[in-house]
Amino acid sequence: MSCLRSALEELAVGRGPGLFALVTEGGETVFTGGVGTADLADPRPIGSEDRFRVASVTKLYTATVVLQLAAEGRLPPASSVEHWLPGLLPDGDRITVEHLLRMRSGLADYVWAVLGDPPRVARLRRYFSPRDLVRTALAQLGREEPGRRWRYSNTDYILLGLIIEQVTGQPVQDVLRERIFQPLGLTATSMPISDLHLPDPHVRGYLRMDAETGYVDCTEYTPSEAWTSGAIVSTPPDVARFLDALLGGRLLSPAWLAAMRAVEPARMDLEYGMGLFRYHLPDGTALYGHGGVHFGVECYAFRSDTGRTVVLHQNSWDRVAGAIPRDNPFICAAFASNEFHEP
C-alpha cells in the first residue's frame, strides 16, 4: 500500500511527534502505518496496540447507549432533562434528550472555562464531578433557546451521561462496558474516571503551543473533565471494531440507526445527527463518524457505507500546525482506493 504510506508521510510533514493510521474493509485490516514516534523521551514507533485518548469520539459511544435505552422504552428522546435530573437546569423542562443528542440544547460549553485560554494541563490535575461541569457551563454567557440551532457543546453529553446513570442506576463506565466494550470484545477499551495515567502500552501525548517551546509532554491528567463527552481510552483496532459494529447495524436496530444518522446542517462542511457527524469528501463520498481533540491527541474515526473504516490519530494537540484537515491526503487516499492488499 505504497500510496497510503506516501499519503501518511505527506500528512506528517510539520506535524508530530507521531501519526498512526488504520484502514479496515468489511472489518478486516487492510493497512496500518505510523510515522514519527510514540514517545519523544524514549523513541519508538507507534503500534496498533498502543492506547490513546479518543477524546470526542467518546460521544459516539454515549449516544449509542442512549439510543439503546430509547429502543428499550426506558429513555424516550422526547423526555425532558427536568424529568431525569430535576432542578439541575433552569428551564430543564424545555430541553429534551433529543436536543442533547443533536447538540441543540442552547447550553454553553464548559470546556474553555475549565481548560483556560491558553489551555493549561495543570488545571486538569484534580477531579471534576459531572454536576460541577454542568454548573460551570451554566455560569457562562451565551445560552440560547433550546432547539434554535446546532452548537457544539460538551455540556450536552455530560448531561446525557448523568441521565444514563439515572435511568440504569449504574455508573456510566459500567454501562458502557456491559453494553459495548464486552459484547464487542474491545479488551483494550476503557473509560477511566479519575486515573491520571493511561494503561500500558500507550502513546505519550504532547501539546505544542508555539514553535519556540516545541512539544511539551501532557500525557497525565484526569479524564473527569471530559467524562461522557470525551474520556474513553482505546486502540485503533478497537475503535474501528466499534464503528463497524455500530454503523453495520449490530448495536442498534435499523430504525434507531437511521435516527442516529438523520443529520442536519452543523458547521462549514459538516452535518450532525445524534452523536455523529456526516462529512463528504471532495469526490462526494459520505463518511460517518466523529473526531476528537484534547491534550495529547487529535483523531478521526470515519466509515463509509461501503464498509471501509479509517482511524487516524496523532499524539499531540498541535496549535502551531493547526487542526488536521478532514480532507487530508491520507483520508482522501484511503477512501479513494478501489482495491487493497495486505502489505
Side-chain angles (χ1 to χ4, degrees):
M1 302 302 298
S2 59
C3 64
L4 291 186
R5 180 71 196 181
S6 297
L8 189 62
E9 291 173 350
E10 179 184 348
L11 177 60
V13 174
R15 298 184 177 277
L19 279 86
F20 186 86
L22 167 74
V23 182
T24 66
E25 179 82 13
E28 298 296 322
T29 298
V30 294
F31 175 85
T32 61
V35 179
T37 181
D39 186 341
L40 285 173
D42 185 16
R44 64 175 179 82
I46 304 175
S48 291
E49 72 283 359
D50 280 320
R51 292 173 172 87
F52 69 102
R53 302 183 193 272
V54 308
S56 285
V57 176
T58 298
K59 293 177 174 69
L60 265 172
Y61 300 72
T62 301
T64 299
V65 169
V66 171
L67 293 176
Q68 287 177 339
L69 293 170
E72 295 163 12
R74 301 170 66 186
L75 181 50
S79 60
S80 70
V81 174
E82 178 66 18
H83 175 80
W84 299 108
L85 305 171
L88 182 58
L89 298 182
D91 298 325
D93 58 327
R94 300 176 59 219
I95 300 175
T96 67
V97 170
E98 184 165 353
H99 283 143
L100 301 178
L101 285 165
R102 294 192 178 278
M103 290 196 181
R104 289 181 171 268
S105 71
L107 296 169
D109 203 337
Y110 66 85
V111 163
W112 291 107
V114 173
L115 299 187
D117 192 9
R120 290 182 291 142
V121 72
R123 295 171 67 103
L124 302 189
R125 295 293 167 81
R126 71 171 183 85
Y127 174 74
F128 296 85
S129 78
R131 289 176 180 262
D132 283 342
L133 298 175
V134 173
R135 283 189 282 269
T136 298
L138 293 175
Q140 307 309 303
L141 299 175
R143 183 169 178 177
E144 299 180 354
E145 281 291 308
R148 187 172 77 84
R149 70 182 179 101
W150 181 90
R151 184 172 65 167
Y152 197 89
S153 178
N154 291 279
T155 308
D156 292 9
Y157 275 73
I158 297 298
L159 287 164
L160 288 172
L162 287 168
I163 292 171
I164 289 170
E165 293 194 332
Q166 183 67 25
V167 172
T168 63
Q170 296 178 270
V172 71
Q173 66 272 24
D174 292 346
V175 179
L176 285 162
R177 183 173 60 251
E178 291 174 8
R179 286 178 172 265
I180 298 178
F181 304 164
Q182 288 181 341
L184 297 182
L186 308 183
T187 57
T189 302
S190 61
M191 184 180 151
I193 301 302
S194 58
D195 192 347
L196 298 174
H197 306 283
L198 293 174
D200 289 328
H202 64 265
V203 296
R204 301 297 298 177
Y206 299 88
L207 173 66
R208 184 166 67 156
M209 292 293 299
D210 58 75
E212 292 72 27
T213 305
Y215 293 105
V216 177
D217 194 309
C218 61
T219 308
E220 283 82 28
Y221 58 88
T222 173
S224 64
E225 171 272 335
W227 203 49
T228 45
S229 73
I232 285 177
V233 173
S234 192
T235 62
D238 270 17
V239 173
R241 191 174 300 121
F242 162 70
L243 200 56
D244 283 337
L246 172 61
L247 296 177
R250 291 178 55 195
L251 295 174
L252 295 172
S253 69
W256 286 105
L257 181 57
M260 174 184 255
R261 286 166 47 112
V263 296
E264 300 171 332
R267 60 187 180 198
M268 297 182 293
D269 54 350
L270 292 173
E271 300 163 298
Y272 202 76
M274 295 185 183
L276 88 172
F277 284 104
R278 183 171 72 184
Y279 171 68
H280 286 90
L281 290 173
D283 67 2
T285 301
L287 306 181
Y288 291 87
H290 218 292
V293 180
H294 209 320
F295 287 117
V297 64
E298 182 173 359
C299 61
Y300 288 117
F302 279 108
R303 185 180 190 265
S304 71
D305 284 336
T306 66
R308 187 170 298 172
T309 298
V310 170
V311 180
L312 172 69
H313 76 94
Q314 70 177 19
N315 57 339
S316 68
W317 181 4
D318 194 335
R319 304 194 78 183
V320 176
I324 297 175
R326 283 177 294 277
D327 57 346
N328 64 72
F330 184 82
I331 286 182
C332 288
F335 285 104
S337 298
N338 293 321
E339 294 184 9
F340 284 114
H341 302 282
E342 188 71 36

